[in-house]
Amino acid sequence: MTLDIQKIKQEQVVFLRNQNIFTTTQRGVTTTNATGNLSAEDTITIAKTNVKNIRSITVDAVSKSLGTDYTVDYNHANGCVITFGSNQTGDYNVSYDYGTDKIYPDFPRDDLSINSYPRIALDILNVSMDAFGVGGSKFISNVAFTIVIYDKNTDNLDGYIQAIKNAYVSNAKNFYYLKFIKPTGIGPTINSPEKQNEIMQKNIDLLGMFEVD
């Protein structure tokens, strides 16, 4: 499997959204379900342009897993399109969130209002690559990324960081695009300089390991 930065970031952002680090009210989203029936079909389309995260999918009462069973295009022209690796038959149920959100794979703009917080940003810091054996054509990569939380309350920041750390410790081997993820460090609480010293930020850094190209 070729290392894909966009898919890695999308998987991590969806993971954070699904962990309820922020409530759905804080995020500005609503959780609902799409249901229907598939007859030897390989796609489900949710005709909404603001689907933020798929929480779960079952087909014929069987749970499906991201990557192994399906992929998601959240920005398709028709809305949100779920594509399975093979044709599916049976009743389906898709649990998902839609709305505005405050968890993103980029950093907040300087002109956002105070009401735009709390907020979570995620981005890749570094991708290291090494040969996977002598004389071979494969490479093994480690992907370092950071998650930055913004809030006006230091206790809230500490609570969010703890919840994120716990989520990754509990799910270290449960990802598709990175085989193993471990927390590597937590930064200090600092004033966010572009936010008129009303918003503070704190980060947790993580390392995704053993991705082979």
Side-chain angles (χ1 to χ4, degrees):
M1 181 172 64
T2 301
L3 186 146
D4 189 316
I5 295 298
Q6 288 185 326
K7 289 180 179 178
I8 289 171
K9 291 173 69 173
Q10 182 186 86
E11 182 178 25
Q12 298 312 310
V13 168
V14 169
F15 172 73
L16 290 172
R17 291 171 175 170
N18 285 343
Q19 296 307 301
N20 301 318
I21 306 301
F22 292 163
T23 67
T24 53
T25 299
Q26 286 175 306
R27 289 173 54 207
V29 299
T30 300
T31 303
T32 190
N33 295 280
T35 59
N37 182 269
L38 297 171
S39 179
E41 299 168 76
D42 65 355
T43 59
I44 296 172
T45 298
I46 301 173
K48 284 187 172 70
T49 59
N50 58 350
V51 174
K52 297 302 180 181
N53 51 292
I54 301 297
R55 289 185 174 269
S56 64
I57 299 176
T58 61
V59 179
D60 199 25
V62 176
S63 295
K64 302 298 180 179
S65 299
L66 175 70
T68 303
D69 300 311
Y70 69 88
T71 58
V72 184
D73 183 352
Y74 288 95
N75 300 305
H76 194 277
N78 295 327
C80 174
V81 176
I82 300 160
T83 303
F84 295 96
S86 60
N87 286 345
Q88 304 289 308
T89 296
D91 292 335
Y92 68 81
N93 187 305
V94 181
S95 176
Y96 67 94
D97 294 347
Y98 70 96
T100 54
D101 226 311
K102 290 185 179 178
I103 303 176
Y104 286 100
D106 55 22
F107 293 100
R109 301 192 317 269
D110 295 344
D111 61 349
L112 291 181
S113 69
I114 298 301
N115 293 333
S116 299
Y117 299 90
R119 198 174 184 92
I120 292 177
L122 179 147
D123 205 358
I124 303 296
L125 294 175
N126 174 265
V127 179
S128 63
M129 302 180 70
D130 203 352
F132 191 49
V134 178
S137 60
K138 293 184 177 296
F139 292 85
I140 188 166
S141 300
N142 290 333
V143 179
F145 62 98
T146 190
I147 298 168
V148 183
I149 304 90
Y150 302 84
D151 197 284
K152 57 185 177 182
N153 183 290
T154 58
D155 288 340
N156 288 348
L157 285 176
D158 290 338
Y160 295 141
I161 287 286
Q162 185 67 39
I164 292 171
K165 181 181 77 66
N166 291 346
Y168 276 99
V169 168
S170 298
N171 294 278
K173 297 185 290 184
N174 295 338
F175 298 95
Y176 182 76
Y177 292 106
L178 294 172
K179 303 309 178 191
F180 183 83
I181 297 178
K182 66 175 184 178
T184 58
I186 294 173
T189 299
I190 61 174
N191 285 330
S192 192
E194 289 81 23
K195 309 300 182 297
Q196 301 175 349
N197 292 323
E198 295 185 58
I199 297 296
M200 290 167 287
Q201 64 185 69
K202 194 178 186 75
N203 69 287
I204 178 169
D205 294 338
L206 302 106
L207 185 66
M209 306 173 70
F210 313 131
E211 181 59 36
V212 177
D213 280 310

